[in-house]
Amino acid sequence: MPFHPVPTAAAEAALQGARDVPFWLDDPRRPAPRPSLRGGARADLAVVGGGFTGLWTALRAKERDPGRDVLLVEGATTGWAASGRNGGFVAASLTHGRSNGERHLPREVDRLEALGLENLDGIEATVARYGWDCAWERTGALTVATEPHQVEELRGGPGFLDAAAVRAEVDSPTYLAGAWSRHDTALVNPAHLVWELRRTCLELGVRIVEGTPVRRLSSDASAVRLHTDGGVVSAASVALGTNVFPSLLKRYRLHTVPVYDYVLVTEPLTAGQRASIGWAHRQGLDDMNNQFHYYRLTADDRILFGGYDAIYHYGRSLSAAHDQRAASFRTLAAHFGQTFPQLDGVRFTHAWGGAIDTCTRFFPFFGTAHRGRVASVAGFTGLGVGMTRFAADVLLDLLGGEATERTELELVRSTPLPFPPEPLAWAGITLTTRALVRADRRQGRRGPWLAALDAAGVGFDS
């Protein structure tokens, strides 16, 4: 069933009064900011970025070597960007789904699938070991078909559910079939996960400074230096987890573009409203369209509903002004009403957006610089909640000069094609977005532009 392109009056009404801040960060548990850097500092390892990538890297560094002096430098506050704004889906996949992995890394996709599950198990074990209060739920993911051609894509695969079976799990008139992968996805409150990571890092002796943007890198024979407004940090090695923000390594600045994603959260559902949709197993959900939706229940039985629009602003623009987009919120609210008509009258309490660091292969890439003393990762493309822990181990392996199973992976050794500079980036992304929309409207048939991208190794079908 195609989603209505035009928002309704009911959708407009449901958005009235919604707060323009991320639901996860609008929480009294949010910790007070740490002091910014004042004067110089030294460390064995300096980590740049206080999101999931930086925090996992700092934590894993201390777990490997408790005596290592680790300093984490954050430009704003920990978790304020993508790590505190996402849907809270912790996926095992390291390649944004198996089909994308087969397209780009066919020779090692099976091993990557196994390593991804090991990584998810490792996150779950860490949550238990440190007693993190982050609403961890390993409920799996339910992918739903909303168009007839999508049913055939799911049929015969693992976890297939016909229309009656999928609607017995979650009741929506838009569902024609589904597939439930029960063990490869967990749900989490991402802000709580950030704050628990932060707390544990501090308890293990990591020093954290916030409000300290790093302006540039330099190095000599003795150290790598981070130049900030508050002073210079000298370190034996540096891990960069800046993700969507322009890389401190110029060679990678064309390898990602920021794409804005938008999210709504409802008021808590009543018992009757929950009963009307089922969802007893609390899976994370997504559909199979190119312009796809993702949604889930929160710990207090709200529905988080996001996706569909993916907005690129000319010049790789990053701005707080892009976090709010009324047209996207209206579209999501209308699609929510179409997905769950039995929830007519439910209001949204929060509406926000944020930037995703997208690369042309849709999963992260790694790099080193300054004679191996700096390691970086970027390009998570919305897959960072789980993948960042794996990435942290890769960064530490690279900085340690270790030849490990991870560092020998083609995933780690290869780099995706960069995006072109402007105005070619704008033109290419605009053409691709339009082509994906047309494919959704033509029962999944990919036109010549998408076929050309596929042939060049930069196509993606979701």
Side-chain angles (χ1 to χ4, degrees):
M1 177 185 298
F3 288 95
H4 299 313
V6 180
T8 64
E12 297 271 7
L15 286 165
Q16 293 299 311
R19 291 174 55 79
D20 61 354
V21 295
F23 166 72
W24 308 116
L25 298 176
D26 190 17
D27 188 325
R29 276 184 59 179
R30 189 173 186 171
R34 300 282 300 172
S36 57
L37 184 67
R38 292 290 180 265
R42 301 187 65 86
D44 297 328
L45 170 66
V47 179
V48 182
F52 286 132
T53 302
L55 289 164
W56 275 118
T57 302
L59 177 66
R60 297 293 287 160
K62 293 297 279 189
E63 288 180 333
R64 292 185 181 198
D65 179 2
R68 183 183 300 185
D69 181 20
V70 180
L71 173 65
L72 186 149
V73 183
E74 163 56 38
T77 58
T78 47
W80 75 274
S83 297
R85 295 168 182 266
N86 61 81
F89 287 68
V90 192
S93 177
L94 304 179
T95 58
H96 219 128
R98 183 177 178 91
S99 63
N100 194 50
E102 289 172 343
R103 179 178 296 113
H104 294 283
L105 302 171
R107 290 175 295 182
E108 64 184 31
V109 66
D110 290 335
R111 185 58 190 143
L112 291 173
E113 292 273 297
L115 288 171
L117 285 168
E118 288 177 16
N119 181 62
L120 184 60
D121 290 342
I123 298 172
E124 187 167 52
T126 304
V127 169
R129 181 166 67 254
Y130 291 115
W132 288 348
D133 179 8
C134 59
W136 178 270
E137 299 179 88
R138 195 157 176 179
T139 55
L142 182 61
T143 297
V144 296
T146 59
E147 300 283 352
H149 72 277
Q150 297 167 353
V151 177
E152 297 310 309
E153 292 181 42
L154 294 178
R155 194 183 304 277
F160 178 75
L161 303 173
D162 64 17
V166 72
R167 292 189 64 174
E169 287 296 327
V170 183
D171 190 12
S172 169
T174 67
Y175 298 169
L176 305 180
W180 183 6
S181 56
R182 295 172 181 257
H183 305 296
D184 63 1
T185 301
L187 299 176
V188 71
N189 180 316
H192 288 180
L193 179 58
V194 165
W195 300 334
E196 292 287 49
L197 271 162
R198 177 185 188 268
R199 175 181 61 82
T200 301
C201 282
L202 291 168
E203 290 173 352
L204 294 179
V206 175
R207 292 177 290 150
I208 297 176
V209 293
E210 297 183 334
T212 306
V214 177
R215 306 300 182 184
R216 64 184 179 91
L217 286 175
S218 67
S219 67
D220 58 23
S222 63
V224 180
R225 292 181 174 82
L226 309 178
H227 299 263
T228 81
D229 297 342
V232 176
V233 175
S234 297
S237 59
V238 171
L240 300 178
T242 54
N243 300 329
V244 77
F245 299 99
S247 178
L248 290 166
L249 302 176
K250 292 181 180 179
R251 71 188 69 171
Y252 298 121
R253 287 186 184 168
L254 291 180
H255 281 75
T256 61
V257 295
V259 176
Y260 277 79
D261 178 55
Y262 296 93
V263 188
L264 304 176
V265 164
T266 71
E267 61 194 348
L269 303 184
T270 66
Q273 289 166 336
R274 270 298 310 277
S276 73
I277 59 173
W279 216 340
H281 292 113
R282 299 179 61 84
Q283 307 97 323
L285 277 98
D286 64 351
D287 62 48
M288 298 177 65
N289 298 301
N290 292 311
Q291 286 187 289
F292 67 95
H293 307 85
Y294 57 87
Y295 40 116
R296 55 156 301 182
L297 293 166
T298 66
D300 59 349
D301 281 345
R302 302 168 187 263
I303 297 177
L304 178 147
F305 193 83
Y308 193 75
D309 282 339
I311 306 299
Y312 173 73
H313 296 274
Y314 186 88
R316 293 173 164 81
S317 173
L318 284 165
S319 170
H322 302 330
D323 294 344
Q324 291 292 304
R325 191 170 188 268
S328 293
F329 297 145
R330 289 193 296 266
T331 297
L332 282 173
H335 292 176
F336 178 89
Q338 190 176 358
T339 303
F340 295 123
Q342 62 270 54
L343 298 181
D344 182 45
V346 169
R347 300 179 70 87
F348 299 102
T349 61
H350 294 76
W352 74 93
I356 294 170
D357 58 327
T358 299
C359 70
T360 56
R361 71 183 189 185
F362 267 56
F363 56 86
F365 62 93
F366 298 84
T368 59
H370 294 266
R371 291 178 289 179
R373 293 176 295 171
V374 175
S376 71
V377 62
F380 289 93
T381 319
L383 202 71
V385 183
M387 174 64 173
T388 46
R389 179 184 178 274
F390 180 86
D393 278 324
V394 172
L395 292 176
L396 294 171
D397 288 352
L398 292 171
L399 291 173
E402 302 175 50
T404 68
E405 180 182 14
R406 287 181 290 262
T407 61
E408 294 303 308
L409 291 169
E410 188 179 351
L411 180 150
V412 174
R413 293 185 291 106
S414 62
T415 304
L417 291 171
F419 291 92
E422 297 294 12
L424 295 177
W426 168 260
I429 292 168
T430 300
L431 284 171
T432 302
T433 300
R434 291 174 179 172
L436 290 169
V437 171
R438 284 195 299 272
D440 280 341
R441 294 174 179 171
R442 297 174 181 175
Q443 295 294 300
R445 294 190 296 274
R446 297 168 74 80
W449 178 255
L450 294 180
L453 291 179
D454 292 342
V458 296
F460 190 74
D461 59 5
S462 179

